[in-house]
Amino acid sequence: MSDSLTFLDSELADLEATGLRRSLRRLSGPQGAHIIIDGREVVCFSSNDYLGLAGHPRLQEAARAALATTGTGAGASRLIAGNLELHEDLEAALARFHQRPASLLFNSGYHANVGTLAALAGPDDVIFSDALNHASIVDGCRLSRAAVRVYPHADVDALGVAMAEARSARRRLIVTDGVFSMDGDVAPLAELATLARAEGALLYVDEAHAVGVLGPGGRGAAAAAGCTADIHMGTLGKAMGSFGAYVAGSESLREYLLNRARTFVFTTALPPAVVAASREAVALCGDSDGAALRSTLLARIGQLTEALAELDLLAPGAGHSAVFPILVGDERQTMAVCARLLDAGLYAQGIRPPTVPRGTSRLRLALSAGHTADHILRLVTALADLADAELIPRQSRKSRSPAS
């Protein structure tokens, strides 16, 4: 073997020494609140399958039907020979779901954010990005070659000042997560929408962790705030229980991205079974079954919010989405706590840099409609024991502030 890659061993050793080396865990069996991980059955608090749809019979049946009639793969990019009736049906359903004129499918949320931001902005433009935005937004901003102004997390006043200083730009774009995936707090979308209108700027909202969970009919954080984004990105692999992503907005936006978003143009289309499952998920999310699942999830969110507040473990801004961070701080301590919970039959993955800033490593809890009240009680009891043992720090009540 060539010696040219020997540097990798030292890089891996450095990751190990700093507590940042990652490894894969093997999951087996069906998706759900109960999973088998590395041969051990546990209650999972780390999946983004917020409505528990990943194993839902309606999605499975839709996927099987598509396999039988259409086959396993699209065979090409949609602009060549891969544009199926299923793709267009799903896009029409997503547009209706979000009450927007049109939508366009992408192969993942990462593809959607990178491709859309790079298509919409260029060197003569300015993008204003929240400091805690997802990595896919960060990378999309970089690839756009626009000037990027990172504003303090959820600070609308600071954003307003920054926008006023950039009024000579050709185009200005505010981009934010709707629900921040590692903190669980919700962006101040009504205020951002008002500022965007006042400044003649575009508002881009990544609703990956809000679609299916928040807002009327599960339409997301913007709908919950009573506002509409110019560019609305949502994913199909979280609450929708399938795979892929989309951008919803105007007909012109769809046509422009279809022509200019490189992550759409230069990739094979989503496979038929996945698209059919997603189509069924959108239908389910908007009917009585979806409403019932959302009601169950919101009850679990309320139960955990109340319990963590009582234990002084509720992070600032948490309690308004299905994501709850349990802040630990040290990287190795975080993974030790993760291991302790796993021993207790509870899987809550530790999150370390670079996903979160150094010194803010945490457990990331994600709730599902598949969780029961007893599951939450087990989790809370285990967290209380860890806090009593001073393995996880309690929050200072003085530092807690209401979510935006």
Side-chain angles (χ1 to χ4, degrees):
M1 183 180 75
S2 169
D3 291 336
S4 60
L5 290 177
T6 55
F7 74 92
L8 296 177
D9 293 329
S10 62
E11 293 285 346
L12 289 169
D14 287 344
L15 289 174
E16 187 71 40
T18 55
L20 296 178
R21 184 166 179 174
R22 301 174 179 181
S23 60
L24 297 172
R25 300 183 186 273
R26 178 177 293 180
L27 276 67
S28 55
Q31 294 287 335
H34 287 271
I35 62 171
I36 298 173
I37 185 167
D38 294 336
R40 177 187 310 177
E41 184 174 344
V42 297
V43 180
C44 181
F45 287 100
S46 289
S47 173
N48 296 326
D49 182 22
Y50 299 126
L51 295 181
L53 297 187
H56 198 284
R58 281 175 57 177
L59 274 66
Q60 292 177 339
E61 179 54 37
R64 281 193 291 268
L67 280 171
T69 58
T70 315
T72 57
S77 70
R78 288 180 64 189
L79 289 170
I80 303 298
N83 186 44
L84 306 177
E85 183 178 359
L86 283 167
H87 294 122
E88 295 187 349
D89 285 349
L90 175 55
E91 288 171 337
L94 287 165
R96 289 193 299 271
F97 179 76
H98 286 291
Q99 301 176 355
R100 304 306 305 277
S103 75
L104 184 69
L105 286 173
F106 287 81
N107 284 17
S108 72
Y110 213 106
H111 282 84
N113 278 337
V114 168
T116 301
L117 287 166
L120 290 176
D124 297 325
D125 306 318
V126 181
I127 301 176
F128 302 88
S129 179
D130 188 286
L132 295 186
N133 276 341
H134 189 265
S136 58
I137 293 176
V138 174
D139 290 351
C141 290
R142 290 170 176 166
L143 288 171
S144 74
R145 297 181 295 157
V148 180
R149 303 286 182 263
V150 178
Y151 62 90
H153 177 53
D155 190 334
V156 179
D157 290 338
L159 172 60
V161 171
M163 294 194 71
E165 294 172 349
R167 286 181 179 147
S168 61
R170 181 187 65 165
R171 189 176 303 141
R172 291 175 297 165
L173 174 63
I174 302 169
V175 59
T176 182
D177 284 351
V179 169
F180 291 87
S181 62
M182 292 298 132
D183 294 82
D185 58 334
V186 182
L189 294 176
E191 293 92 336
L192 291 176
T194 298
L195 177 61
R197 285 196 302 272
E199 289 286 341
L202 297 171
L203 177 61
Y204 183 128
V205 180
D206 177 338
E207 296 266 32
H209 295 272
V211 166
V213 177
L214 302 183
R219 293 199 301 275
C227 62
T228 301
D230 298 287
I231 303 100
H232 178 108
M233 196 285 284
T235 54
L236 299 162
K238 296 179 175 63
M240 294 293 184
S242 183
F243 183 72
Y246 58 92
V247 169
S250 68
E251 289 279 4
S252 296
L253 176 65
R254 180 184 187 277
E255 288 300 308
Y256 183 78
L257 294 178
L258 185 152
N259 283 277
R260 297 297 299 274
R262 293 170 66 84
T263 54
F264 173 86
V265 174
F266 297 107
T267 193
T268 299
L270 287 166
V274 167
V275 178
S278 297
R279 175 66 184 86
E280 187 61 31
V282 175
L284 191 156
C285 194
D287 66 20
S288 60
D289 287 348
L293 290 171
R294 204 154 33 248
S295 178
T296 299
L297 174 59
L298 293 175
R300 297 290 83 80
I301 291 171
Q303 181 187 358
L304 185 57
T305 300
E306 183 178 348
L308 291 180
E310 182 67 25
L311 292 171
D312 203 14
L313 293 175
L314 186 66
H320 300 274
S321 74
V323 176
F324 291 79
I326 302 295
L327 300 174
V328 179
D330 179 76
E331 292 83 9
R332 293 184 180 279
Q333 179 88 339
T334 298
M335 299 314 296
V337 170
C338 176
R340 288 280 291 267
L341 286 174
L342 200 58
D343 288 340
L346 305 166
Y347 179 44
Q349 178 61 39
I351 306 296
R352 296 164 287 172
T355 307
V356 294
R358 188 170 294 276
T360 69
S361 292
R362 67 199 64 186
L363 302 175
R364 179 188 181 273
L365 306 176
L367 300 190
S368 164
H371 288 129
T372 66
D374 285 343
H375 290 150
I376 304 300
L377 181 59
R378 280 182 61 189
L379 174 66
V380 169
T381 300
L383 292 173
D385 289 343
L386 289 166
D388 288 343
E390 299 185 348
L391 294 175
I392 53 177
R394 299 184 190 274
Q395 294 289 313
S396 166
R397 294 184 185 277
K398 292 182 180 179
S399 70
R400 188 177 300 130
S401 59
S404 299

